[in-house]
């Protein structure tokens, strides 16, 4: 049985997206308890930023190595291991007695998370035909944004009802069990029923290229750097801010409760859920990825600029719109990997995807830590002043993303040919 024509590929698709959905929720869920952690463990805003950055530092640092290894040995083992490791890290986070264990736990989650998206892209590439890939990538992005949605009002309500430890403990256990399910779906069943899975894996292992040659080719490729900066500007600004400072921002600047602040983030998540499939559909309709993606980057840049224009506190109705359109931007970020798929040979898709993803999560590492430093510097002044200066960071980062999207070289009719 051939994978691309089997009905079983939809079982693979559903299981992989379920894992991705839950893992993504744990990127931003800790942001719901930033203030609570500061009070319980008597730690500063800077240390909260470091806790957030630790996860994304591990994520960003492993993207290229994971990409190389996944291209070489296949995506299944890394997706399974990463999901289990994310579960163990989340369990450890839930029982942490001090800030050092919190830091270790977030680092473990970051290492596990580092394996996920690259291998989701590779698995979809292996199990689905090229003309299905762009549309399904949009749905994969939407599942991740549903994970962000879980980490807003539902998770906030769960925390309010049971405290913060039980929700994280339960989530960690579920992730561990999903890792076991992935082994059954991706390895055990296909090994018995689909001979081409084993044959393709063997061919991939036999035809190895020197790692240094691969890296030199990627680092000297303009298209690879373009995707790096696209993700740096559009992903890191959203994930870095939402995952650490969005809830405290709503509480301190707009005097919202934690629940109300998380509901505000919900607006951005709705934008992301809508943005993922719509931008993928639009790219297919206009037979271009670059044109709709450039518009998205321009909108995101203008949204962050608006925070500066209103001195860190735009009118509340405008804040809702800004969150929505920034959310649409993160939803559209799956187009980065459609560009990768259309520009590089299949044997390089993993490493270039890892390189692009490094950009997004390097940004997510830097933003919370720098933002926390700025807030600490202005802590003796009006709270809004610290946020006002802090917003210079996502403005600068999103400008880098805008430059990146204009550096993309796109082949004519790329989408029609199955990019």
């Amino acid at each position: 049985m051939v994978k691309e024509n089997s009905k079983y590929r939809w079982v693979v698709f559903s299981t992989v997206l379920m894992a991705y959905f839950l893992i993504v929720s744990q990127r931003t869920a800790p942001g719901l308890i930033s203030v609570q952690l500061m009070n319980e463990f008597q730690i500063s805003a800077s240390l909260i930023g470091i806790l957030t950055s630790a996860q994304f530092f591990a994520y960003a640092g492993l993207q290229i190595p994971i990409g190389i290894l996944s291209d070489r040995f296949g995506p299944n083992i890394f997706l399974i291991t990463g999901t289990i490791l994310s579960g163990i890290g989340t369990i450890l986070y839930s029982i942490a007695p001090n800030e050092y264990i919190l830091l270790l736990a977030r680092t473990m989650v970051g290492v596990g998370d580092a394996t996920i998206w690259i291998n989701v892209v590779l698995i979809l590439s292996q199990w689905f035909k090229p003309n299905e890939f762009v549309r399904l990538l949009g749905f994969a992005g939407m599942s991740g944004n549903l994970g962000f949605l879980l980490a807003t009002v539902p998770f906030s309500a769960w925390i309010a009802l049971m405290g913060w430890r039980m929700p994280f403990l339960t989530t960690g256990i579920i992730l561990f069990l999903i890792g076991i399910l992935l082994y059954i779906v991706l390895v055990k069943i296909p090994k018995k029923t689909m001979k081409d899975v084993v044959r393709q894996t063997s061919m991939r292992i036999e035809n190895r290229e020197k790692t240094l040659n691969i890296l030199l080719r990627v680092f000297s490729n303009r298209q690879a750097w373009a995707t790096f900066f696209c993700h740096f500007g559009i992903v890191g600004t959203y994930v870095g801010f939402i995952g650490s400072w969005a809830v405290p921002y709503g509480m301190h600047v707009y005097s919202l409760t934690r629940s109300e602040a998380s509901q505000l983030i919900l607006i951005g998540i709705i934008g992301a859920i809508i943005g993922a499939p719509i931008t993928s559909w639009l790219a297919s309709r206009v037979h271009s990825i670059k044109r709709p993606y450039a518009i998205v980057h321009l909108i995101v840049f203008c949204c962050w600029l608006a925070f500066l224009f209103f001195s860190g506190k735009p009118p509340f109705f405008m804040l809702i719109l800004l969150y929505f359109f920034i959310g649409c931007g993160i939803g559209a970020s799956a187009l980065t990997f459609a560009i990768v798929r259309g520009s590089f040979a299949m044997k390089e898709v993993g490493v270039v995807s890892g390189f692009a993803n490094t950009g997004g999560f390097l940004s997510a590492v830097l933003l919370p830590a720098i933002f926390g430093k700025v807030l600490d510097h202005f802590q003796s002044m009006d709270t809004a002043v610290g946020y006002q200066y802090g917003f210079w960071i996502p403005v600068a980062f999103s400008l880098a993303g805008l430059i990146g999207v204009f550096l993309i070289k796109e082949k004519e009719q790329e989408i029609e040919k199955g990019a």
Side-chain angles (χ1 to χ4, degrees):
M1 184 184 295
V2 179
K3 290 186 294 185
E4 293 87 345
N5 296 326
S6 70
K7 292 181 180 179
Y8 185 75
R9 73 192 195 279
W10 297 108
V11 175
V12 171
F13 181 71
S14 302
T15 309
V16 167
L17 261 60
M18 179 172 58
Y20 183 56
F21 158 75
L22 200 56
I23 287 168
V24 167
S25 74
Q26 296 310 295
R27 292 178 185 171
T28 56
L32 297 174
I33 58 171
S34 295
V35 175
Q36 199 167 340
L37 292 178
M38 290 170 68
N39 294 332
E40 182 173 335
F41 294 98
Q42 295 297 299
I43 54 181
S44 67
S46 294
L47 188 51
I48 289 292
I50 291 171
L51 286 174
T52 303
S53 296
Q55 176 177 350
F56 296 135
F57 182 79
Y59 187 109
L62 288 171
Q63 287 303 288
I64 295 175
I66 291 296
I68 293 171
L69 292 170
S70 297
D71 280 336
R72 183 163 293 180
F73 300 108
N76 295 341
I77 186 63
F78 295 102
L79 185 64
I80 294 163
T81 303
T83 303
I84 291 174
L85 188 59
S86 292
I88 294 172
T90 305
I91 292 170
L92 184 61
Y93 189 78
S94 72
I95 61 175
N98 54 54
E99 61 269 31
Y100 303 107
I101 301 301
L102 287 175
L103 183 61
L104 174 62
R106 295 322 297 172
T107 303
M108 287 180 64
V109 171
V111 172
D113 193 6
T115 69
I116 304 305
W117 177 250
I118 294 173
N119 292 297
V120 168
V121 172
L122 288 173
I123 287 170
L124 294 185
S125 298
Q126 291 178 357
W127 284 89
F128 291 91
K129 299 173 183 177
N131 60 2
E132 297 174 316
F133 180 76
V134 174
R135 292 190 299 274
L136 293 179
L137 203 58
F139 283 105
M142 186 173 68
S143 74
N145 293 317
L146 287 171
F148 284 127
L149 175 62
L150 176 65
T152 56
V153 178
F155 216 79
S156 180
W158 195 2
I159 291 169
L161 181 65
M162 305 189 70
W164 67 272
R165 293 185 183 271
M166 182 57 68
F168 284 96
L169 175 62
T170 305
T171 303
I173 293 171
I174 294 172
L175 273 171
F176 185 86
L177 295 176
I178 289 176
I180 297 172
L181 177 62
L182 283 170
Y183 170 76
I184 296 170
V185 170
L186 295 176
V187 178
K188 192 170 183 179
I189 294 176
K191 188 178 290 186
K192 291 181 178 179
T193 60
M194 299 180 184
K195 300 297 184 182
D196 68 314
V197 176
V198 177
R199 185 171 60 253
Q200 289 175 12
T201 301
S202 300
M203 291 172 62
R204 182 168 48 246
I205 292 173
E206 289 172 4
N207 297 314
R208 295 178 178 179
E209 184 180 1
K210 289 183 178 180
T211 300
L212 181 60
N213 292 341
I214 296 171
L215 292 177
L216 288 174
R217 189 165 60 250
V218 170
F219 289 150
S220 62
N221 189 291
R222 166 178 164 167
Q223 193 82 332
W225 280 105
T227 60
F228 176 96
F229 284 114
C230 281
H231 238 47
F232 183 94
I234 208 167
V235 173
T237 50
Y238 178 91
V239 174
F241 183 70
I242 294 296
S244 56
W245 297 116
V247 170
Y249 170 68
M251 295 170 69
H252 293 152
V253 177
Y254 291 90
S255 301
L256 303 175
T257 65
R258 179 182 290 104
S259 177
E260 289 169 340
S262 65
Q263 288 177 39
L264 190 60
I265 296 173
L266 178 63
I267 303 297
I269 306 300
I270 292 171
I273 293 170
I274 294 172
I278 286 182
T279 51
S280 293
W281 172 82
L282 184 60
S284 297
R285 289 283 295 177
V286 301
H287 308 303
S288 169
I289 299 170
K290 180 175 180 176
R291 280 179 282 166
Y293 207 19
I295 293 171
V296 168
H297 273 271
L298 180 60
I299 291 171
V300 169
F301 173 71
C302 291
C303 286
W304 288 117
L305 202 60
F307 282 97
L308 288 183
F309 184 80
F310 288 98
S311 301
K313 190 178 180 180
F316 193 74
F317 77 90
M318 181 175 289
L319 182 67
I320 293 173
L321 292 177
L322 293 175
Y323 273 40
F324 177 80
F325 285 112
I326 290 171
C328 287
I330 190 72
S333 66
L335 292 180
T336 297
F337 302 97
I339 293 166
V340 171
R341 171 70 184 274
S343 304
F344 296 89
M346 269 302 300
K347 66 179 182 178
E348 298 176 329
V349 167
V351 64
V352 180
S353 295
F355 184 62
N357 228 10
T358 299
F361 287 88
L362 175 62
S363 176
V365 166
L366 296 175
L367 189 145
I370 300 173
F371 215 109
K373 287 286 187 183
V374 172
L375 293 181
D376 282 344
H377 181 74
F378 290 99
Q379 64 181 345
S380 61
M381 303 175 66
D382 179 29
T383 304
V385 174
Y387 284 100
Q388 175 186 347
Y389 284 97
F391 281 120
W392 277 103
I393 305 163
V395 167
F397 286 11
S398 59
L399 178 60
L402 188 60
I403 293 170
V405 78
F406 284 110
L407 289 175
I408 292 170
K409 287 185 176 181
E410 185 175 56
K411 300 174 184 176
E412 292 185 9
Q413 305 300 313
E414 194 171 75
I415 304 297
E416 281 191 329
K417 294 178 182 178

